[in-house]
Amino acid sequence: MILSTFFSFLFSASGPAEVPMMSPNGSIPPIHVPPGYVSQVTDRNGSGPCVSRTMRMSEGGFKESLHPSTPTNRLSLLVCLCFSGEELQYTLTDLRPATDYHVRVSTVCNSVKGPSSDARAFTTHSAPPDTPLPPRLSHRTKSSLTLQWKPPADNGSKITNYVLEWDEGKKNSIFREYYVGHQRHCKVMRLCPAVGYTFRVAALNDIGTSGFSTEVVFNTTGSLPQTSLPPRLAQAGPSWVRLEWTRPNSCSIEEVVTYTLEMQDETKGLDFQAVYSGLELNRKVETLKRNTQYKFRVSEAQIQDVNGTTTQSQKDRYLIHLCLCSESQWMTLYRGPERKHLCEDLKPATSYFLRLSCVNVGGQSLCSDDLTVRTRIPPPGRCQPPSIVGDVKHKEMTLQWDGPLCGEESENVEFSLEMCAMEEGLEPMEVYCGSKTECTVGNLLPGTTYRFQVCAANSAGYGPYSESVEISTAAGPPGQCSPPAINVTSHTCADVTWEVSHSGIDISEYRLDWGCDLDSLELVYSGTETCFQIFNLEASTDYCCRLQAVNQAGAGPYSDLVTCRTPAAAPDVVSGFRHVDHPLNPTENEPFSHSTCLALTWDEPHCNGAEITSYSISMGDRIITTRSVTGHIIRDLLPDSEYSLQIRAENEMGPGPFSQTLTVRTRPLPPSPPRLECAAVGPQSLKLRWGFSSRSQLTDDTTYILQMEDRNQRFVVVYRGPSHTFKLQRLSESSRYRFRIQAVSEAGEGPFSDTYTFCTTKSLPQTLKAPRVVQLEGNACEVTWESIPPMRGDRISYVLQVLGGRDSDYKQVYKGDETSFQLSGLQWNTDYRVRVFACRRCVDTLQELCGSFSPSAHFNLRRSDATLAVEADITRVPIGKTLSDEQFAGLIVFGVFLQSIIKCTVL
């Protein structure tokens, strides 16, 4: 059995319409959709238009699911039906954006309709606005054109701007922006007389931009200037033509004339486009198509055309055969050599198919592809004049009208209602644009007559306006009140009075607004009295007020604004009176002490219209007057004492009130500096100590700051703390250093002490390494040691001592500047020890400073067998008994050296 199915969609529109669809068995059941919409059907594997939402049918109804959609302004709904294991998809396209729809599904078998599913609601997405109708001309002059346009459907997103473009009168199909904004009218200025300008308009919202309207041409008023003669065809080639023209007779010889040559290629369906602009009277136009007809004209205002055709060889001549299809039948519309033909007597809003073929001596060619052309819809007819609905109010009225019959496009007709006040020189303005035949006009003036007219528009343009009708609004609220009078009685009070309105019997109340300026006005009085007193005003301040009368019809307009100014007064009370630790603007000439001085500051009060000249500080019976600054230092106070203070500001109007009492206390006197002494001294260090002569000045919380003078004669802190001693390291030998000290306690920082000078001592020579001993021939050896460079210009000498044999003490054998010495007359096979130390000879004090002994070097003199017999007797002789004169002199020098060391130690 062949089963047919269909869907019944219930929308807000009334009455369904049927479009075909495919079923699983190939039959075509009906699908019910709203009027004016088109459906497309795709199978499971087929392709269709953009899908934005899917509804799937099951046993008990249908399911809805979202599908991704590609970017488009085309809205669609995909409905899927599952039947006998197969799935059908029905795409409903051309839905209105931002519109609520309701859908339900039912099945039909053998003309028997089954139950309907539950209704399911959905809302289409917003889209860019529809393409607006072309702008229309509301007024024109020789140099201006005033245009108006109607808002298109916003498709769910409010229209934010309109774009008006024009061709600047050049007729070259190149458009430029002239106006971008939210207004629906524009006045195009600075135009030329008797010149045609082409315009188009588009609308924008948050989603995107609509398409541009159809182009429309408007001419400015004025007589046409005398035009030059049309161009002449001088020469023609297969792909070029040469044109000539003459200078207009109306131009004088002195005038410079610029010529614009425009060309039209009808094969492309384009308007005239400029191909040359200059001062020449001829032009060769190249790169043309062979055997093609072109039109040319000169200058902007030129309307006379000349036909120029490229040359054609005899063998290429042919005829054009144009056919038209109407009601599924083809008919010959034109046969001839021309390249264009005007099709007349066609039906409006009808689609036609056209095709071409060529005929020459060889026969007729194949037909071209079909060209589909649809004729336009005629504009609507005249509407009926608008009429009143209900009562006319003083500020608004409701109008309705009957639209004309517009054929099959009646559903897309929009109406434009214009209004004009009955005053000379006023232009009409559009107060409504839409598809409804009724609207409410607001923001009208009471007791005023207005003229209304309405016209209809469709995609073909605007129809004629209806006859105008004059309607008057009802009487309104009271008229404007006279300005009130203000009497300022003090800097905080003012009396406001006003006259009774001329229509006083109708007045229900007066409203008085008061404020510092127009933006701050507030309602301060509402009643039937004609006076009001205002308090709590500020001194030397500008105020304004306005009055309004109210009756049963509403509130009348406000009176003119009245202003006043309150007089100046003494300053306000001083706030922020406080004591600070450090003065805001200290002076070097007057030192600041927390024990005898108080630093005060405060906030500047409101001067009340007169500049503050001074401040007065009350301290017991004493009044201290200061300048107009916001800070002051009170000096010569007693330490550790309490004071009560008040302050007030003064101006030319007098003194203000005293502030609240401020209780402050001075600090105790800070401690005096201690005595500074040098406890120990060295070449690179100084140990300092300090203390007070009186134990009463010593406290546990006392901190000491020790400063030393640097190379730049600036004192820097070297110690800060509670200790009474400090050792300075890494100093330079024999150098003078200057110090000073300061004590700090809770009472503050005490003064610095006098400057103390201490010196470091000179450095002793360094301790030498153990000397080196080398045995020589015989009973002699050579002792060497390291050298020391001069110390700060002082020379260095060396002392060598020997310990050997039975001696228990070292003996000095050498003192001098050399770093080596030869010992002779030594005993064989005897242990000896040698050591050396360095001495510094001070040039400035003639003092000799000796360093420490070096480590001793041990050696034993060995002899060979050949010398044993010869020197047997010599070895028995003690060294002390065989001293030479030089050795004896060395002992004397060593004794003197020991005495100098003893004296230095004692000192």
Side-chain angles (χ1 to χ4, degrees):
M1 181 180 62
I2 299 176
L3 176 66
S4 62
T5 61
F6 72 90
F7 290 109
S8 175
F9 298 91
L10 301 183
F11 294 88
S12 57
S14 61
E18 293 187 358
V19 296
M21 58 174 265
M22 294 297 297
S23 65
N25 57 8
S27 62
I28 304 178
I31 177 172
H32 298 271
V33 298
Y37 293 91
V38 179
S39 288
Q40 297 181 359
V41 181
T42 60
D43 57 18
R44 297 185 60 182
N45 300 321
S47 60
C50 168
V51 177
S52 62
R53 185 172 293 186
T54 300
M55 294 186 178
R56 299 182 181 273
M57 179 179 173
S58 62
E59 275 299 340
F62 57 88
K63 299 180 181 179
E64 177 183 5
S65 61
L66 294 178
H67 285 245
S69 57
T70 57
T72 175
N73 293 335
R74 187 177 181 184
L75 300 178
S76 61
L77 176 69
L78 178 64
V79 182
C80 297
L81 170 66
C82 292
F83 183 80
S84 298
E86 294 292 334
E87 182 181 273
L88 287 181
Q89 297 180 355
Y90 303 90
T91 303
L92 183 64
T93 60
D94 297 329
L95 304 181
R96 294 294 300 173
T99 304
D100 295 331
Y101 290 95
H102 298 269
V103 60
R104 65 183 183 185
V105 182
S106 62
T107 59
V108 175
C109 181
N110 295 331
S111 301
V112 179
K113 179 180 178 182
S116 299
S117 67
D118 295 335
R120 189 67 64 90
F122 69 95
T123 303
T124 54
H125 298 292
S126 299
D130 287 350
T131 300
L133 296 174
R136 59 187 179 87
L137 181 68
S138 62
H139 184 72
R140 65 179 174 179
T141 64
K142 291 183 178 180
S143 60
S144 67
L145 293 172
T146 302
L147 307 180
Q148 293 181 350
W149 54 88
K150 301 180 182 299
D154 59 11
N155 291 333
S157 177
K158 183 179 179 181
I159 295 177
T160 57
N161 279 309
Y162 294 93
V163 179
L164 178 66
E165 291 188 349
W166 69 324
D167 67 344
E168 300 177 323
K170 297 180 180 179
K171 301 296 186 296
N172 54 3
S173 298
I174 298 177
F175 286 85
R176 300 182 184 276
E177 285 186 1
Y178 184 86
Y179 168 78
V180 177
H182 64 278
Q183 299 291 340
R184 288 187 282 108
H185 58 84
C186 176
K187 189 173 184 180
V188 185
M189 309 287 289
R190 300 177 181 176
L191 305 180
C192 297
V195 175
Y197 296 88
T198 305
F199 298 91
R200 64 184 185 182
V201 68
L204 292 81
N205 62 10
D206 293 337
I207 307 301
T209 306
S210 72
F212 278 97
S213 67
T214 56
E215 300 170 6
V216 61
V217 180
F218 299 118
N219 294 276
T220 52
T221 59
S223 59
L224 290 172
Q226 184 176 358
T227 60
S228 60
L229 294 177
R232 303 184 302 276
L233 180 63
Q235 291 178 303
S239 62
W240 58 271
V241 294
R242 180 177 293 278
L243 303 174
E244 295 179 350
W245 55 89
T246 58
R247 181 184 179 90
N249 297 329
S250 60
C251 299
S252 61
I253 300 178
E254 293 79 14
E255 293 179 350
V256 178
V257 181
T258 301
Y259 302 95
T260 301
L261 177 64
E262 296 179 325
M263 180 184 74
Q264 183 187 38
D265 186 357
E266 293 185 348
T267 61
K268 297 182 179 180
L270 300 177
D271 201 356
F272 281 90
Q273 295 183 349
V275 295
Y276 168 74
S277 179
L279 304 177
E280 301 296 331
L281 295 174
N282 60 83
R283 180 67 176 177
K284 182 179 181 180
V285 183
E286 298 179 323
T287 65
L288 303 179
K289 293 183 178 180
R290 184 178 181 181
N291 192 26
T292 303
Q293 189 176 42
Y294 298 91
K295 285 187 177 182
F296 296 90
R297 64 185 184 188
V298 176
S299 78
E300 290 186 356
Q302 181 66 32
I303 59 175
Q304 302 183 37
D305 301 335
V306 61
N307 293 332
T309 307
T310 54
T311 60
Q312 177 186 14
S313 63
Q314 180 66 25
K315 64 178 180 179
D316 293 333
R317 293 181 179 178
Y318 54 83
L319 299 179
I320 300 298
H321 188 196
L322 175 64
C323 296
L324 178 142
C325 179
S326 176
E327 297 179 356
S328 301
Q329 294 184 357
W330 288 95
M331 58 179 295
T332 299
L333 194 65
Y334 169 74
R335 184 181 183 90
E338 297 295 332
R339 301 294 296 273
K340 65 178 181 179
H341 181 72
L342 179 63
C343 301
E344 299 179 332
D345 299 330
L346 301 180
K347 296 180 180 180
T350 304
S351 296
Y352 293 92
F353 300 94
L354 299 173
R355 63 187 181 188
L356 286 173
S357 63
C358 299
V359 181
N360 62 8
V361 295
Q364 183 171 350
S365 68
L366 296 177
C367 293
S368 66
D369 294 335
D370 294 346
L371 173 66
T372 303
V373 180
R374 183 176 178 84
T375 55
R376 295 182 178 180
I377 304 169
R382 184 185 298 272
C383 298
Q384 296 297 320
S387 59
I388 291 295
V389 178
D391 297 331
V392 178
K393 300 179 182 179
H394 68 283
K395 284 188 177 181
E396 67 177 29
M397 63 180 67
T398 301
L399 302 177
Q400 68 178 7
W401 57 89
D402 294 330
L405 296 178
C406 300
E408 57 186 72
E409 292 292 329
S410 59
E411 294 183 0
N412 296 326
V413 174
E414 291 188 348
F415 300 95
S416 173
L417 178 65
E418 284 192 348
M419 179 189 73
C420 180
M422 298 297 294
E423 296 182 14
E424 186 176 357
L426 294 181
E427 295 184 359
M429 60 178 296
E430 186 180 56
V431 294
Y432 171 76
C433 180
S435 59
K436 296 181 180 180
T437 58
E438 179 179 313
C439 80
T440 299
V441 183
N443 298 325
L444 303 179
L445 298 178
T448 304
T449 302
Y450 295 90
R451 180 185 291 116
F452 296 91
Q453 59 183 6
V454 66
C455 71
N458 58 15
S459 59
Y462 289 90
Y465 276 98
S466 68
E467 296 180 0
S468 60
V469 60
E470 297 180 0
I471 305 174
S472 299
T473 55
Q480 186 179 24
C481 295
S482 300
I486 303 176
N487 180 25
V488 179
T489 57
S490 69
H491 71 278
T492 60
C493 182
D495 293 332
V496 183
T497 59
W498 56 89
E499 298 178 356
V500 177
S501 177
H502 296 296
S503 55
I505 56 175
D506 298 329
I507 302 300
S508 59
E509 67 175 1
Y510 293 99
R511 297 175 181 174
L512 179 64
D513 291 348
W514 182 272
C516 294
D517 51 33
L518 187 61
D519 296 332
S520 64
L521 287 175
E522 294 181 356
L523 180 65
V524 295
Y525 172 74
S526 175
T528 58
E529 300 294 332
T530 57
C531 62
F532 184 70
Q533 191 173 41
I534 301 176
F535 299 95
N536 299 325
L537 303 180
E538 296 183 1
S540 187
T541 304
D542 291 324
Y543 290 97
C544 60
C545 68
R546 63 184 181 183
L547 188 67
Q548 182 186 44
V550 182
N551 63 8
Q552 294 180 354
Y558 284 102
S559 68
D560 294 335
L561 206 64
V562 180
T563 60
C564 68
R565 185 177 180 86
T566 54
D572 289 345
V573 63
V574 177
S575 61
F577 188 39
R578 58 196 179 274
H579 168 250
V580 293
D581 291 337
H582 300 283
L584 300 179
N585 297 309
T587 58
E588 296 182 356
N589 298 332
E590 297 179 294
F592 180 83
S593 173
H594 290 285
S595 301
T596 60
C597 300
L598 288 175
L600 304 174
T601 185
W602 55 88
D603 299 331
E604 182 178 357
H606 194 278
C607 65
N608 289 332
E611 185 178 356
I612 295 175
T613 57
S614 63
Y615 293 93
S616 297
I617 301 175
S618 172
M619 187 174 64
D621 297 336
R622 179 183 174 187
I623 298 295
I624 303 172
T625 302
T626 70
R627 298 176 299 168
S628 58
V629 295
T630 57
H632 184 69
I633 298 176
I634 303 178
R635 302 181 182 274
D636 302 328
L637 301 178
L638 297 177
D640 198 18
S641 300
E642 189 175 85
Y643 296 91
S644 297
L645 307 174
Q646 287 182 303
I647 190 173
R648 68 182 179 185
E650 298 183 15
N651 60 11
E652 62 181 7
M653 306 304 296
F658 273 109
S659 67
Q660 295 181 352
T661 301
L662 174 66
T663 302
V664 293
R665 189 177 189 88
T666 56
R667 297 182 183 178
L669 287 174
S672 301
R675 296 188 308 274
L676 190 62
E677 298 176 350
C678 182
V681 61
Q684 285 87 28
S685 64
L686 290 173
K687 183 177 182 181
L688 305 181
R689 65 184 178 188
W690 54 86
F692 292 101
S693 59
S694 176
R695 300 294 297 178
S696 60
Q697 297 191 28
L698 294 175
T699 58
D700 295 337
D701 59 348
T702 302
T703 301
Y704 301 97
I705 299 175
L706 178 64
Q707 294 183 345
M708 182 179 71
E709 188 179 53
D710 60 7
R711 295 180 179 178
N712 299 323
Q713 297 181 350
R714 295 179 303 182
F715 280 94
V716 296
V717 176
V718 295
Y719 172 76
R720 181 193 301 270
S723 179
H724 290 257
T725 60
F726 183 72
K727 185 175 183 180
L728 292 95
Q729 305 282 0
R730 299 179 182 178
L731 303 179
S732 299
E733 66 166 333
S734 188
S735 300
R736 301 168 63 90
Y737 293 93
R738 293 163 55 86
F739 300 91
R740 68 180 185 182
I741 195 169
Q742 176 190 32
V744 181
S745 66
E746 291 182 351
E749 297 182 356
F752 279 100
S753 66
D754 295 335
T755 302
Y756 294 85
T757 303
F758 303 106
C759 299
T760 56
T761 61
K762 288 193 175 184
S763 300
L764 296 176
Q766 66 183 29
T767 301
L768 300 177
K769 296 181 180 179
R772 298 182 298 276
V773 181
V774 178
Q775 183 174 345
L776 302 177
E777 293 182 358
N779 58 347
C781 65
E782 184 181 29
V783 183
T784 60
W785 55 88
E786 63 179 331
S787 63
I788 298 176
M791 301 176 65
R792 298 177 66 94
D794 296 340
R795 295 177 58 188
I796 302 297
S797 62
Y798 305 94
V799 176
L800 179 63
Q801 293 181 347
V802 179
L803 175 65
R806 298 178 179 179
D807 296 333
S808 60
D809 295 326
Y810 279 92
K811 296 180 180 180
Q812 179 174 323
V813 295
Y814 171 75
K815 181 178 183 181
D817 298 337
E818 300 297 329
T819 58
S820 64
F821 182 74
Q822 291 185 2
L823 295 176
S824 60
L826 302 176
Q827 296 181 5
W828 301 104
N829 298 323
T830 303
D831 292 330
Y832 290 94
R833 292 184 180 275
V834 293
R835 65 183 182 182
V836 67
F837 61 88
C839 295
R840 177 180 180 181
R841 300 174 185 176
C842 301
V843 179
D844 52 351
T845 61
L846 300 179
Q847 185 182 9
E848 191 173 43
L849 302 177
C850 296
S852 303
F853 290 105
S854 70
S856 61
H858 172 263
F859 69 95
N860 191 311
L861 203 63
R862 301 292 182 180
R863 64 178 178 177
S864 60
D865 296 338
T867 58
L868 290 176
V870 179
E871 298 179 358
D873 296 335
I874 297 178
T875 55
R876 299 188 183 97
V877 180
I879 295 177
K881 295 181 180 180
T882 60
L883 292 176
S884 64
D885 294 339
E886 293 179 355
Q887 293 174 338
F888 184 75
L891 290 174
I892 296 176
V893 173
F894 180 71
V896 175
F897 172 71
L898 291 177
Q899 290 181 355
S900 63
I901 293 176
I902 295 173
K903 290 182 179 180
C904 291
T905 305
V906 172
L907 293 176

